[in-house]
Amino acid sequence: MFKKSRLIGEYFMQGDIACAEGALAAGCRFFGGYPITPASEIAERMAMRLPLLRGVFIQYEDEIASIAGILGASWAGAKSMTATSGPGISLMTENIGLGMMMEAPCVVVNVQRGSPSTGLPTSWGQSDMMQARWGSHGDYGSISLVPNSPQEFFDLTITAFNFSEKYRLPVFIMADALVGHMTEKVVIPPVEELEIIDRKYTNKKPEDYLPYDYGKNLIPDFAKAGDGYRYHTTGLTHDKRGYPNMTFECQNELVPRLVNKIKNHVDDISLTEEYDIEGADVIVISYGITSRTILPAITMAKKKGIKIGYLRLKTVWPFPEEKIRKLSKKVAGFVVPEMNLGQISLEVERCAHNDSIVKLVPHPGGGIHKFEDVLHAIEEVAYGK
Amino acid sequence: MRFWEKPFGKEKPKTICGEIHIINDRCKGCSFCIEYCPRNVLEVSKDFNKKGYHPPIVVKPDMCTFCGLCEMICPDFAIFVIEKEDE
Amino acid sequence: MANNTAQLQEKSHPMEDLLRMDRMPHIWCSGCGLGSAVTAFVEGLKKAGVSYDKTAIVSGIGCTGRVAGYLRLDSYHTTHGRAIPFATGLKLANRDLTVVVFSGDGDLFAIGGNHLIHAARRNVDINVICVNNFIYGMTGGQNAPTTPLGAYSSTAPFGNYEMPFNLVGLAAASGASYVARWTTMHARRLTDSIATAANKKGFCFIEIVSPCPTVFARKNKGGTGLDMLKEFQTRAIIDHDADPTTIPLNMDNEIVCGEFVNDDRPTFWENVQAGIKARLEKFANWEEMQSNSRKISHKKDRKYTSSRDSSIMRRNT
């Protein structure tokens, strides 16, 4: 009865539930969460499924406890996850920083709502994108994946676990209420067809083991609690032994490593989808649900004879800088429709520099872009130059 | 003649003695051990340690009964007692 | 330790197997009670006979937060106030571990107060050791939730206006399985208490009243650490039958010490297991239902579950 860890086959499934199933398929066996619209369904599904798989579900007293709890579970060797929305992420940011500093693998799902503050609890937005990158104080490399359908929510949850295990950090899944509450066909493949990566446990003896000794890939080997390694970890600036060390030298070794361990692996982490990029005049860059709601505008633009390309970001952070830089030399400009008042468009602007125009199509959330607005922006870029 | 118990005085009862070890340079001179030693074995030394504190010094080594209170109360892990073999 | 005597180099401190000797001397001030509390903890662990490899210690921030860094166990120095939820996650994900939270009164009762009462309510199987020094030591003597009414601190220059928390009362009222209070002077009883807690299941709470000579005593004319210990000695009484809710700590009242609560309540994990078992017996074919009812299947011989079962499924998906 306990053996059947996951469903296999085709299902008519809600996005949030697909996310929970994806986590279970990836091997998540610890969920700590706090109810929040529109992410509650993930917790509800986990509460139903995890106990039968000998996993642990715990509803904590708040989001701060949830993230602290999943970090603890991560150190005990479990793949752990929490799911929340914008206000919850705001509470979690301090401990997300702890996870980055301690290098504890876990997954944080943000089913975004209209923001700021309590905002639009039952509606959607994409206004937490910069928070996912810069939310916690200090410099660190971070990974954020953005799904645009329940199927992709399932797939990217598995990818998020793989990245978190591989690079040892909390990974964000930046869904939104529209994806989370959308019900669509989800195909769950058999176990053999999924690529599941587990963290690299150290093979050193306890007396030789240093918890933060890294190799060429800048990622230290993991040792879990209770295996006799008796290591120390801290949120303070620490040396290879994990001991606090308040010197410039130590800070200068640790913090750049936290950034570079992601920066050096952008090619591996960066997932994008491209259509008609070659020879395009205008490229529309979008991510998440926006990438689906603006499709009519692209079709219209094509009919009007504009050479239009379409780039969809599945990985928003780390930002595919090189790709955008190369493209910006070839095209007239980029159109960036997003459900915020300009966050990822700033990154595109930075990478496009002065080579091409970047046109933002803003939307405050709670609705979807009017396709005329997007079309207008595309025409402006295409004919303006 | 057989006795049920050995008569008193036939075998000298073993007295438990302790041997106090002080790690001078770890001491921060709080004098908890000196104050709470039930047999007043320790006293403040006149010498300074590396950090400038006065560590304790054993003045009555024979009085120590290996109660271990100094080891228990020392906040700096600077004093410990080992049970002596004989005497 | 370069100029130790020859004798000392032969014999090392008996606690060296549990302390990170490469980090000594520790950062705590002369006369601080934290070192005594750590000694009691180490002795208590030895006495309890738990495996050191299977023991994890979690600390928050502050003077007491540094305890984790000095103990050679799996040790975690987390964010301010969040040691208890971290420990809860650690314990639930690896139930073989003995998880101990060692932190201060500000960390556990001010910023982390909510987590403490909820962990006690859930009765998670962790031990919480709270060193109460009545003040925030590391940041320079600001008001704590335990600072007695009228006591001076950096942020209470005219005396504290707020009523302090009674830590043992709060823990007992929240449902902890084991509640005790000792001062650092009660070294042996504290050791026994820690050993009892280490082998006891459920949420165990031990308050250790500790002297803070550098800030609390300086601001309140308490003298040195030794003077504070002597004061504890005169004020402390041991009463195991005292009602923990009636024994707050003030500037000059009795410090009532003892083991106030020692109950056996089912822990969080035991309740989870019992709950799942009861539910599984009720719906023995749950997993089968799960895979059949929502599958988009074109097979003609597809088995439909009863209407009652499918309504359950609908509710759960």
Side-chain angles (χ1 to χ4, degrees):
Chain A
M1 159 148 250
F2 288 107
K3 278 178 189 165
K4 198 166 180 184
S5 67
R6 42 194 293 281
L7 312 176
I8 296 165
E10 292 174 18
Y11 295 88
F12 191 50
M13 231 181 215
Q14 207 189 20
D16 281 346
I17 287 165
C19 169
E21 288 299 334
L24 295 172
C28 171
R29 290 295 178 272
F30 187 97
F31 185 94
Y34 187 78
I36 185 169
T37 305
S40 307
E41 286 84 353
I42 301 177
E44 287 166 10
R45 181 68 169 195
M46 285 304 219
M48 192 64 191
R49 296 270 283 136
L50 267 177
L52 299 175
L53 307 173
R54 295 187 189 282
V56 182
F57 170 84
I58 178 166
Q59 182 180 322
Y60 272 108
E61 55 272 14
D62 55 27
E63 281 91 350
I64 306 173
S66 307
I67 180 82
I70 68 164
L71 291 178
S74 173
W75 281 111
K79 289 188 180 181
S80 55
M81 180 170 101
T82 186
T84 186
S85 186
I89 293 283
S90 296
L91 286 175
M92 286 180 183
T93 44
E94 187 197 14
N95 279 284
I96 286 167
L98 178 72
M100 299 289 180
M101 197 68 156
M102 279 185 158
E103 301 178 63
C106 61
V107 171
V108 181
V109 181
N110 181 359
V111 186
Q112 295 172 87
R113 51 162 77 179
S115 300
S117 189
T118 317
L120 298 168
T122 53
S123 282
W124 48 90
Q126 292 179 325
S127 40
D128 305 349
M129 299 311 296
M130 278 293 178
Q131 189 192 31
R133 177 68 191 88
W134 301 110
S136 197
H137 53 281
D139 286 314
Y140 52 85
S142 82
I143 301 178
S144 301
L145 306 174
V146 192
N148 75 347
S149 67
Q151 176 68 52
E152 203 170 81
F153 210 170
F154 175 88
D155 296 338
L156 286 186
T157 306
I158 296 172
T159 315
F161 271 100
N162 288 347
F163 284 161
S164 78
E165 296 284 313
K166 199 170 171 186
Y167 298 109
R168 280 190 65 176
L169 80 169
V171 170
F172 287 97
I173 305 175
M174 304 297 287
D176 53 70
L178 208 47
V179 173
H181 284 166
M182 182 191 286
T183 306
E184 274 187 355
K185 185 173 110 173
V186 175
V187 182
I188 304 182
V191 191
E192 307 81 53
E193 290 173 24
L194 292 172
E195 195 203 0
I196 308 283
I197 300 171
D198 290 324
R199 65 192 76 171
K200 191 170 169 257
Y201 284 99
T202 182
N203 47 17
K204 282 184 181 161
K205 285 178 189 165
E207 52 270 25
D208 303 330
Y209 175 67
L210 293 173
Y212 293 99
D213 194 13
Y214 52 89
K216 261 185 186 171
N217 61 0
L218 304 181
I219 302 152
D221 291 347
F222 195 86
K224 70 177 199 288
D227 277 0
Y229 286 92
R230 288 159 76 171
Y231 53 86
H232 181 56
T233 59
T234 172
L236 292 163
T237 296
H238 47 262
D239 55 20
K240 284 180 183 173
R241 296 172 300 172
Y243 293 173
N245 187 342
M246 307 293 123
T247 57
F248 161 73
E249 288 74 22
C250 193
Q251 176 84 351
N252 194 29
E253 188 181 347
L254 176 68
V255 181
R257 181 171 69 78
L258 294 180
V259 175
N260 288 335
K261 76 173 179 181
I262 303 303
K263 221 180 209 173
N264 295 355
H265 297 97
V266 174
D267 295 340
D268 178 40
I269 301 164
S270 192
L271 306 170
T272 52
E273 251 177 39
E274 300 167 4
Y275 303 98
D276 308 328
I277 291 284
E278 287 305 313
D281 273 343
V282 185
I283 290 180
V284 177
I285 299 179
S286 72
Y287 54 90
I289 193 62
T290 322
S291 61
R292 293 175 75 176
T293 57
I294 55 144
L295 283 178
I298 291 176
T299 319
M300 290 288 270
K302 248 182 208 165
K303 275 184 190 164
K304 288 192 172 185
I306 300 170
K307 280 186 186 169
I308 187 157
Y310 172 51
L311 178 67
R312 181 162 83 85
L313 308 176
K314 284 186 187 175
T315 307
V316 168
W317 306 114
F319 195 72
E321 295 174 1
E322 273 311 305
K323 181 167 249 163
I324 306 288
R325 271 196 198 117
K326 275 182 197 160
L327 286 175
S328 69
K329 297 209 167 74
K330 296 179 193 163
V331 299
F334 297 97
V335 175
V336 188
E338 49 183 342
M339 263 184 230
N340 53 50
L341 303 185
Q343 295 190 10
I344 297 304
S345 68
L346 297 178
E347 284 295 299
V348 181
E349 264 171 40
R350 181 171 67 81
C351 298
H353 201 50
N354 288 330
D355 297 330
S356 52
I357 315 162
V358 177
K359 181 89 185 154
L360 164 74
V361 189
H363 190 290
I368 56 170
H369 285 92
K370 281 185 190 166
F371 83 89
E372 299 95 319
D373 293 348
V374 184
L375 186 61
H376 188 68
I378 294 170
E379 283 172 341
E380 242 176 61
V381 174
Y383 305 134
K385 203 171 177 180
Chain B
M1 187 167 181
R2 290 180 61 208
F3 295 98
W4 285 106
E5 286 177 1
K6 281 175 186 168
F8 289 119
K10 187 147 196 192
E11 203 170 83
K12 207 183 169 189
K14 242 187 178 178
T15 49
I16 302 166
C17 291
E19 192 178 68
I20 300 169
H21 297 259
I22 299 162
I23 305 166
N24 282 340
D25 285 339
R26 215 180 277 164
C27 178
K28 287 180 187 159
C30 66
S31 56
F32 285 3
C33 52
I34 299 164
E35 178 67 26
Y36 285 99
C37 176
R39 309 267 289 187
N40 298 324
V41 175
L42 301 161
E43 248 176 39
V44 184
S45 132
K46 280 176 184 165
D47 300 335
F48 291 99
N49 68 5
K50 209 161 66 181
K51 285 181 284 197
Y53 293 109
H54 294 289
I57 188 166
V58 183
V59 286
K60 299 176 197 163
D62 299 339
M63 293 288 279
C64 179
T65 59
F66 188 55
C67 74
L69 195 61
C70 51
E71 186 184 319
M72 293 286 301
I73 208 149
C74 174
D76 293 279
F77 317 107
I79 188 166
F80 61 96
V81 203
I82 291 169
E83 193 174 352
K84 252 193 216 172
E85 287 302 313
D86 31 16
E87 274 184 80
Chain C
M1 307 307 123
N3 52 351
N4 282 349
T5 59
Q7 204 179 21
L8 285 174
Q9 280 157 1
E10 285 167 28
K11 287 166 185 162
S12 59
H13 197 285
M15 275 177 268
E16 284 193 4
D17 56 335
L18 269 173
L19 295 172
R20 295 187 194 276
M21 279 315 187
D22 43 351
R23 297 206 60 207
M24 292 294 158
H26 54 61
I27 60 161
W28 301 313
C29 314
S30 166
C32 173
L34 271 166
S36 311
V38 173
T39 308
F41 175 70
V42 169
E43 292 288 326
L45 275 193
K46 280 184 181 171
K47 203 167 183 178
V50 296
S51 161
Y52 301 150
D53 285 351
K54 294 278 177 199
T55 305
I57 181 155
V58 186
S59 282
I61 297 293
C63 288
T64 323
R66 293 301 183 102
V67 167
Y70 296 120
L71 286 167
R72 215 162 69 77
L73 300 166
D74 285 324
S75 51
Y76 303 94
H77 183 217
T78 64
T79 42
H80 198 17
R82 317 303 167 201
I84 288 179
F86 189 99
T88 305
L90 196 63
K91 173 70 189 181
L92 291 177
N94 185 352
R95 270 115 33 207
D96 298 337
L97 294 174
T98 304
V99 180
V100 184
V101 173
F102 209 123
S103 215
D105 51 310
D107 190 72
L108 291 174
F109 283 85
I111 187 166
N114 196 24
H115 306 309
L116 185 122
I117 58 174
H118 281 278
R121 172 180 69 82
R122 282 188 196 108
N123 205 20
V124 190
D125 189 8
I126 56 173
N127 300 337
V128 176
I129 299 172
C130 174
V131 178
N132 178 5
N133 56 5
F134 306 106
I135 210 154
Y136 283 86
M138 190 165 268
T139 46
Q142 292 82 6
N143 232 27
T146 47
T147 307
L149 189 70
Y152 296 98
S153 70
S154 305
T155 48
F158 309 111
N160 179 24
Y161 319 116
E162 300 170 15
M163 289 302 290
F165 260 143
N166 171 14
L167 307 190
V168 284
L170 187 61
S174 308
S177 292
Y178 178 89
V179 177
R181 177 197 277 160
W182 301 105
T183 72
T184 52
M185 194 204 69
H186 295 97
R188 292 203 194 281
R189 289 170 192 273
L190 175 60
T191 304
D192 291 347
S193 207
I194 288 167
T196 312
N199 283 323
K200 190 171 171 59
K201 65 183 172 65
F203 186 88
C204 302
F205 178 80
I206 301 170
E207 177 187 359
I208 306 175
V209 179
S210 162
C212 176
T214 306
V215 284
F216 187 75
R218 181 164 54 85
K219 292 198 181 293
N220 292 286
K221 301 205 166 29
T224 62
L226 185 61
D227 294 332
M228 285 195 83
L229 268 199
K230 281 180 183 167
E231 194 202 323
F232 290 164
Q233 201 175 1
T234 54
R235 280 169 60 192
I237 57 163
I238 295 172
D239 181 5
H240 295 298
D241 298 326
D243 178 1
T245 53
T246 58
I247 45 169
L249 294 180
N250 292 328
M251 276 306 268
D252 42 18
N253 68 343
E254 285 170 335
I255 301 174
V256 183
C257 299
E259 293 178 358
F260 307 117
V261 179
N262 197 346
D263 289 343
D264 279 314
R265 287 174 55 212
T267 63
F268 174 78
W269 190 246
E270 284 169 355
N271 280 339
V272 168
Q273 295 300 82
I276 294 167
K277 208 181 158 202
R279 173 132 181 124
L280 283 185
E281 279 164 5
K282 212 171 171 185
F283 303 106
N285 56 345
W286 192 90
E287 194 80 9
E288 204 181 320
M289 279 154 42
Q290 175 81 5
S291 49
N292 288 336
S293 61
R294 300 292 284 184
K295 212 172 199 173
I296 301 171
S297 168
H298 301 293
K299 283 179 193 166
K300 279 182 183 172
D301 59 342
R302 179 181 163 193
K303 281 177 196 165
Y304 285 94
T305 48
S306 71
S307 59
R308 182 182 149 74
D309 289 350
S310 57
S311 72
I312 292 161
M313 288 317 304
R314 210 169 297 133
R315 208 170 61 228
N316 291 325
T317 48

